[in-house]
Amino acid sequence: MRRGWLLPLFAVLGFAFLYLPIISLVVFSFNESRLVTVWSRFSLKWYGELFADPQMLGAALLSLRIAAISSTIALVLGTLCAVALVRFRRFRGRTALTGMVSAPLVMPDVITGLSLLLLFVAMETFFGWPAGRGELTIILAHTTFCMAYITVVVQSRLSDMDLSLEEAAMDLGATPARVFFDITLPIIAPALISGWLLGFTLSLDDLVIASFVSGPGSSTLPMVIFSKIRLGVSPDVNALATIIIGIVSVGVLGATILQMTRPKVNRT
Amino acid sequence: MSVHGSLPAVRPWKSIERRLKEHGVTGRWAVILPPMLWLTIFFLIPLGVVFGISLSTKQFGRPPYSSLLSVGENGTVQLTLHLSNYLKLFQDGLYIAAYLNSIKIAAISTAIALVIGYPMAYFIARSPDRWRNILLMLVILPFWTSFLLRVYALTGFMRGNGVINNFLGLFGIQPIVMLQTDFAVYVGIVYSYLPFMILPLYTTLVKLDGALLEASADLGARPYRTFLSITLPLSLPGIIAGSMLVFIPAIGEFVIPSLLGGPSTLMIGRVLWDEFFSNTNWPRASAVAIAMLIVVVVPIMLLQRAQNAVVERK
Amino acid sequence: MAKKPQLAVDTRPWRDPNAKPFVRIKNVTKKFGDVAAVADVSLDIYKSELFCLLGGSGSGKSTLLRMLAGFEEPTSGTIEIDGQDMTGVPPYQRPVNMMFQSYALFPHMSVEKNIAYGLKREGMPKDEIAARVEELLRLVKLEPYAQRRPHQLSGGQRQRVALARALAKRPKLLLLDEPLGALDKKLREETQFELVKIQETLGVTFIVVTHDQEEAMSLATRIGVMNQGEIAMIGEPADVYEFPNSRFVAGFIGSVNMFEGVVTEDEADHVRIRSAEAGCDIYVDHGVDCAPDQILWYAIRPEKITLTRERPEGDANIAKGIVEDIAYLGDMSVFQVKLDSGQYMRVTKANSERGDPNAIKWDEEVYAQWSGGAGSVLTV
């Protein structure tokens, strides 16, 4: 066991690297001056500007709505997919399904975005639906790539689960569907929750795919932020960032504390 | 005495069920079909469309590409394929340079991320239980905040009058140009993807049996020797997994090169974006995408094979 | 702890040629890929039996059990329970219940809900369920624990919940997969006794899978010894122990001394075997189906052999050796005798005399002797 000082030092530097930019972001959101790099005075004016900006607020609402809907649909599809891959030993198209559900995880966003847009355009040309791009197409796109992540999360928990619990339920007279709702679902519930949160976060954060498949009037929050920061520093973005970081930190902290203080239930 | 014990009375749809089963259709397909259909429509077919359009040419109008199928004068259906886009990829040095540059930048970034991430993962893995959860939380937390905002934080950090330069200015050092350079892109990729490197490494290192290290020391190996001969080889699966999770997405990155890189930082993701949005050359962008897929597919297959090896061993 | 045979009437159905078996396993084979986990097994089990499938890992016993429960389908062959062919019948439609090795208690349900689960699936009315659950809790002596969750119970308590849950639906057939494996020795003995009592009271047919031969011997009405997917022998515990049909069965149950030899005399009423490994001639007091000069094996159990310092009378079944090791186990002593032939012989003797001054000690020269009917002649 390395009991030297070199390793801890390295670790501290590493964590500093991870957090310093974020901390500076937060600090300067409270800076009066527009110069995000020179401290003048404590002020909340950027927060005021943020909440008074209709474009930002509209985009935020849209993004939250899209994230909630996409993640929920993705949760259902992802769970079905995970069940199929873990519990069904062999079926026609299994390798295809495995490939299709893991590919979005590693494919660059630009390709996913481009391909979906071209699909929507082609569909519009041939069927007339979807008519133009907007919230619906973004939801369809986000559901697709969120599903891939959720499948991984649920798959991992499902394969860890003791199969004999499901067998015992079947032995006692429960049909496979009953087994899923009575036994499997309650036990994998934590994975479903974290999967949904993961999907929600990914959807909320997506820039590239949304840029491709969105339409006029449906600018998501990342799209608005991107156009702002391309032009330079924008302190109201700092304010937004601080709010998001605050919410996320509370969430992650809470989840970690919950996990640490939960009584050691039998791991099944 | 309960009724349980005899087979239930034959349900009316049992015969239909049996007939379907003979053809391989069971209730399972209610579970398999929805995700399969969805992915076929929204993942597989789009890729096919991309491939089709890569064989088309740019054209004014909506949509801005020529149709592959057309009806000729005497009613025959014609299929017109243009290979010009792919030819351009090879002829115009820009594209090849962009591909190679992307791979180079991704590779260097991965290496840097490995060098920074490995000691951190090792440190966390060897920490006492109580601290481990907290440290892991600290690693994961940036991941849950917005990717875009973190890159933005870096710009604030690295700009001409940014935090670092202000800090150096205190010592009278001239401001260093950091943004709009390749260097900034490296920092950006490492910064954004570091958690993806640390977590798989941590998972592998934490499973490492401490007794192995003790045995090595007992047999006379100094710490660095134990590290090189025992720890490093055994953590190889984690190294591969972490590297792939950084390398593969980094090749196709768009946000980081566009916010942090300069005009000379050619990355293929950006090229695709520009072809599509700036030049409105959808067919060309599609060809770039197909070529990018091929470049990315090989590392993906390696990752799949490594993952399968792990699953088989389980 | 084996079932006491009734004195007046022989109630052992397997001895009655007219009895109808309750479970018929007919030529069942189960293949996983090219490997046959169960190879052409046929077996009849009768009502109210406590049948034990005994075997090591890879013997196929667990696979056979799972096929009875319905979690695996035989590759070929049929399984009949109470006259009904179970081919294609899923587990939730069989009149069979199983007690799992890991107990498989639902962690998110209380003890009460666990036991009630099967009854709810049947559609039993609520008050009937409550009454039945109470009845079962009384049977396994867990009334105060009704509201507890599985992780709040000890191993032995969890096992009793698993048993209660499996009995709730009054199954015709109860399958138990290594039921006592996770318990410590003392608890195991107590539970063995209780298990037999419950089975005798309820009259349910039990099929128990175990690798512990002591457990099988003490629980079972009949034992089925399995080896590499096949049945090696079926019989009552005494038959399997005293009259094994093969070297495998002889070696698998209890300890045994095995000597290879050649038949020198083959008569209708006796057989004589010359064994170099034993270093003496072996006399068997009954006829054996073999040929002259045939090579076969003689199995003699340690407790059937006596050790003496003086050479006993007789020209067979006497082996000379030196006591190399003695293991004192309290109730008996185990002697490891190195015979003149070089082979080792294991002899056990009950310590019936306290502090016997004449007890045989280490390094003594001894003669091992056994009677003509004490051992088994094995041709396979």
Side-chain angles (χ1 to χ4, degrees):
Chain A
M1 236 196 87
R2 307 274 281 263
R3 233 171 266 279
W5 49 267
L6 189 62
L7 194 62
L9 179 69
F10 223 122
V12 167
L13 286 177
F15 278 108
F17 171 61
L18 267 182
Y19 278 91
L20 276 175
I22 298 180
I23 295 175
S24 86
L25 200 67
V26 173
V27 164
F28 283 106
S29 74
F30 297 106
N31 189 11
E32 230 259 291
S33 139
R34 176 164 265 275
L35 283 176
V36 174
T37 49
V38 172
W39 183 265
S40 65
R41 199 172 55 160
F42 183 91
S43 156
L44 288 176
K45 86 172 190 201
W46 305 114
Y47 290 86
E49 264 201 38
L50 177 68
F51 285 105
D53 183 349
Q55 195 196 24
M56 279 283 231
L57 289 180
L61 239 67
L62 179 70
S63 284
L64 286 170
R65 202 163 55 227
I66 292 177
I69 298 177
S70 308
S71 200
T72 309
I73 305 177
L75 183 64
V76 172
L77 290 171
T79 305
L80 288 173
C81 196
V83 169
L85 291 177
V86 177
R87 291 283 182 253
F88 301 165
R89 260 175 286 174
R90 266 178 310 167
F91 55 88
R92 229 177 326 174
R94 193 201 159 94
T95 21
L97 188 63
T98 316
M100 286 200 289
V101 89
S102 30
L105 296 173
V106 284
M107 237 170 48
D109 281 354
V110 284
I111 301 184
T112 316
L114 177 70
S115 63
L116 280 167
L117 172 67
L118 293 180
L119 174 79
F120 292 137
V121 167
M123 280 169 78
E124 194 185 13
T125 316
F126 283 118
F127 311 124
W129 180 88
R133 265 98 33 220
E135 193 172 335
L136 174 64
T137 48
I138 302 179
I139 291 178
L140 292 174
H142 281 191
T143 304
T144 310
F145 83 81
C146 285
M147 181 183 150
Y149 286 90
I150 294 183
T151 304
V152 170
V153 173
V154 178
Q155 207 175 340
S156 140
R157 179 72 181 103
L158 203 55
S159 56
D160 267 352
M161 180 180 144
D162 188 2
L163 194 59
S164 61
L165 291 173
E166 292 185 359
E167 287 181 345
M170 272 207 283
D171 176 72
L172 290 165
T175 57
R178 264 243 146 253
V179 171
F180 181 73
F181 287 106
D182 282 348
I183 311 293
T184 317
L185 220 51
I187 293 182
I188 63 174
L192 296 179
I193 295 174
S194 59
W196 189 90
L197 285 173
L198 182 64
F200 188 83
T201 309
L202 290 170
S203 166
L204 204 57
D205 194 26
D206 163 65
L207 168 71
V208 173
I209 297 180
S211 301
F212 274 98
V213 301
S214 72
S218 60
S219 290
T220 61
L221 190 60
M223 289 166 73
V224 169
I225 296 177
F226 186 63
S227 49
K228 281 198 166 206
I229 62 185
R230 260 189 143 156
L231 306 172
V233 167
S234 190
D236 53 345
V237 174
N238 285 43
L240 178 66
T242 309
I243 294 176
I244 292 181
I245 292 171
I247 296 176
V248 166
S249 305
V250 167
V252 173
L253 207 78
T256 312
I257 293 179
L258 210 75
Q259 219 184 17
M260 277 165 58
T261 57
R262 188 198 293 206
K264 268 294 175 190
V265 181
N266 232 5
R267 180 112 173 92
T268 37
Chain B
M1 205 58 194
S2 76
V3 180
H4 173 79
S6 52
L7 284 176
V10 175
R11 294 199 301 257
W13 56 86
K14 260 282 202 242
S15 51
I16 307 174
E17 218 180 306
R18 211 182 319 131
R19 205 99 58 83
L20 285 175
K21 250 198 202 148
E22 286 165 20
H23 291 272
V25 178
T26 58
R28 291 183 159 190
W29 286 94
V31 176
I32 302 172
L33 267 184
M36 195 174 252
L37 272 179
W38 184 283
L39 284 171
T40 309
I41 298 176
F42 292 107
F43 174 75
L44 206 59
I45 294 182
L47 288 179
V49 174
V50 172
F51 181 66
I53 292 181
S54 70
L55 296 169
S56 154
T57 52
K58 175 176 170 174
Q59 188 180 281
F60 288 112
R62 309 182 88 235
Y65 55 82
S66 62
S67 180
L68 293 180
L69 293 171
S70 49
V71 181
E73 300 93 37
N74 33 357
T76 56
V77 175
Q78 257 186 311
L79 180 70
T80 326
L81 300 176
H82 300 261
L83 292 176
S84 52
N85 295 310
Y86 287 103
L87 288 176
K88 235 355 169 102
L89 287 186
F90 287 109
Q91 288 167 347
D92 190 340
L94 171 79
Y95 298 104
I96 297 188
Y99 283 116
L100 292 176
N101 207 28
S102 300
I103 295 178
K104 166 183 148 217
I105 292 180
I108 296 180
S109 307
T110 307
I112 300 175
L114 185 60
V115 167
I116 297 181
Y118 197 100
M120 287 179 76
Y122 192 86
F123 176 74
I124 301 176
R126 298 282 121 192
S127 298
D129 262 349
R130 277 181 312 124
W131 283 103
R132 241 185 264 165
N133 275 325
I134 300 175
L135 290 172
L136 276 179
M137 184 199 79
L138 287 178
V139 168
I140 294 179
L141 204 143
F143 162 73
W144 290 96
T145 61
S146 167
F147 179 81
L148 190 57
L149 292 172
R150 277 187 293 144
V151 176
Y152 170 62
L154 273 183
T155 62
F157 224 58
M158 292 199 291
R159 51 183 340 112
N161 53 353
V163 176
I164 293 187
N165 277 322
N166 279 357
F167 182 70
L168 293 176
L170 292 176
F171 301 108
I173 306 176
Q174 290 298 325
I176 314 174
V177 173
M178 283 175 285
L179 280 187
Q180 316 275 315
T181 60
D182 278 11
F183 169 74
V185 175
Y186 292 137
V187 174
I189 294 180
V190 172
Y191 184 73
S192 311
Y193 287 93
L194 198 57
F196 290 103
M197 174 63 85
I198 294 181
L199 288 176
L201 278 175
Y202 164 80
T203 315
T204 315
L205 285 170
V206 87
K207 289 198 196 133
L208 198 59
D209 190 356
L212 292 174
L213 304 180
E214 291 175 354
S216 171
D218 179 70
L219 291 165
R222 303 168 83 96
Y224 77 89
R225 181 87 247 151
T226 303
F227 178 75
L228 284 176
S229 306
I230 312 288
T231 316
L232 203 57
L234 286 177
S235 58
L236 203 59
I239 295 178
I240 295 177
S243 302
M244 287 292 137
L245 283 179
V246 176
F247 181 71
I248 294 174
I251 296 179
E253 254 294 329
F254 165 74
V255 175
I256 295 176
S258 82
L259 285 179
L260 295 173
S264 63
T265 326
L266 270 182
M267 284 192 79
I268 197 68
R270 218 169 151 195
V271 167
L272 199 161
W273 177 285
D274 290 338
E275 276 307 346
F276 188 87
F277 287 107
S278 309
N279 298 351
T280 325
N281 193 342
W282 293 18
R284 182 72 54 80
S286 305
V288 171
I290 298 288
M292 202 196 304
L293 262 184
I294 297 176
V295 167
V296 169
V297 154
V298 171
I300 291 178
M301 296 215 302
L302 287 176
L303 177 63
Q304 286 270 25
R305 203 166 300 168
Q307 277 183 337
N308 283 337
V310 171
V311 169
E312 260 151 50
R313 222 180 293 146
K314 251 201 184 173
Chain C
M1 263 169 260
K3 262 180 104 126
K4 280 195 293 243
Q6 307 279 39
L7 295 170
V9 170
D10 194 328
T11 57
R12 287 170 284 192
W14 52 91
R15 294 183 176 217
D16 174 6
N18 292 324
K20 269 195 59 194
F22 187 65
V23 177
R24 285 216 97 138
I25 300 172
K26 277 201 279 209
N27 302 102
V28 164
T29 303
K30 176 68 182 172
K31 280 202 164 136
F32 291 109
D34 287 330
V35 179
V38 175
D40 198 27
V41 164
S42 294
L43 182 51
D44 286 341
I45 298 169
Y46 296 84
K47 206 159 166 49
S48 298
E49 266 209 81
L50 205 167
F51 192 92
C52 268
L53 280 172
L54 175 64
S57 49
S59 57
K61 57 189 195 299
S62 296
T63 313
L64 192 56
L65 198 75
R66 285 173 68 83
M67 285 195 276
L68 286 164
F71 297 120
E72 308 276 0
E73 279 290 327
T75 315
S76 64
T78 53
I79 295 180
E80 272 173 32
I81 299 179
D82 201 14
Q84 287 168 339
D85 186 1
M86 290 285 138
T87 311
V89 179
Y92 43 91
Q93 285 171 353
R94 295 195 185 202
V96 180
N97 284 127
M98 183 153 144
M99 189 178 136
F100 289 76
Q101 187 174 3
S102 65
Y103 309 144
L105 298 182
F106 306 131
H108 57 295
M109 296 187 197
S110 64
V111 165
E112 206 175 54
K113 285 219 166 62
N114 259 282
I115 299 178
Y117 188 76
L119 302 169
K120 271 180 73 179
R121 299 280 70 76
E122 273 184 341
M124 201 186 252
K126 263 209 209 143
D127 42 348
E128 276 186 48
I129 295 183
R132 178 88 181 124
V133 170
E134 221 194 282
E135 194 187 325
L136 287 157
L137 286 171
R138 235 178 299 133
L139 180 69
V140 295
K141 305 196 192 65
L142 282 179
E143 294 107 302
Y145 298 93
Q147 297 308 322
R148 297 265 184 103
R149 292 275 178 104
H151 67 91
Q152 295 169 310
L153 301 173
S154 71
Q157 289 166 335
R158 275 186 228 156
Q159 193 236 27
R160 282 185 272 162
V161 176
L163 185 60
R165 186 178 72 177
L167 289 170
K169 296 175 76 160
R170 294 185 216 269
K172 295 183 180 179
L173 177 61
L174 189 66
L175 308 172
L176 298 97
D177 191 359
E178 310 263 8
L180 306 174
L183 306 174
D184 59 68
K185 192 165 191 315
K186 198 120 211 305
L187 200 54
R188 209 181 301 177
E189 283 176 14
E190 285 175 24
T191 318
Q192 267 175 8
F193 183 64
E194 281 195 36
L195 213 58
V196 174
K197 231 174 50 160
I198 291 177
Q199 193 262 344
E200 284 179 356
T201 318
L202 297 178
V204 180
T205 312
F206 272 28
I207 300 182
V208 177
V209 152
T210 178
H211 64 278
D212 185 336
Q213 25 129 336
E214 272 182 35
E215 188 171 298
M217 299 274 276
S218 62
L219 287 176
T221 53
R222 276 195 305 159
I223 301 179
V225 183
M226 285 189 75
N227 181 29
Q228 295 190 329
E230 295 176 333
I231 300 260
M233 182 171 178
I234 305 175
E236 294 172 33
D239 291 334
V240 175
Y241 185 81
E242 302 287 11
F243 303 99
N245 64 0
S246 63
R247 281 182 296 156
F248 173 76
V249 175
F252 191 79
I253 310 245
S255 33
V256 74
N257 296 298
M258 199 84 71
F259 298 114
E260 192 181 308
V262 170
V263 179
T264 51
E265 277 171 42
D266 174 26
E267 303 292 337
D269 67 336
H270 75 269
V271 169
R272 214 176 161 88
I273 304 167
R274 183 176 59 232
S275 169
E277 287 184 355
C280 67
D281 272 3
I282 299 173
Y283 178 81
V284 181
D285 68 358
H286 55 84
V288 171
D289 191 10
C290 62
D293 297 325
Q294 183 180 348
I295 296 181
L296 32 64
W297 293 267
Y298 185 72
I300 177 84
R301 301 246 180 230
E303 69 274 8
K304 308 284 193 294
I305 306 170
T306 41
L307 296 177
T308 50
R309 288 193 182 88
E310 304 79 35
R311 191 180 206 292
E313 301 254 322
D315 67 341
N317 295 353
I318 299 168
K320 186 156 154 301
I322 299 183
V323 175
E324 232 185 50
D325 199 15
I326 307 175
Y328 175 76
L329 298 181
D331 52 352
M332 63 176 188
S333 294
V334 180
F335 295 85
Q336 198 82 314
V337 180
K338 185 165 184 183
L339 300 174
D340 284 351
S341 63
Q343 181 137 331
Y344 282 89
M345 180 183 258
R346 184 186 162 99
V347 183
T348 57
K349 176 180 176 326
N351 292 330
S352 35
E353 249 192 78
R354 185 146 57 130
D356 183 3
N358 269 340
I360 297 185
K361 304 205 192 3
W362 282 266
D363 300 326
E364 280 202 47
E365 227 179 54
V366 289
Y367 293 90
Q369 185 195 36
W370 60 94
S371 73
S376 311
V377 178
L378 303 168
T379 50
V380 289

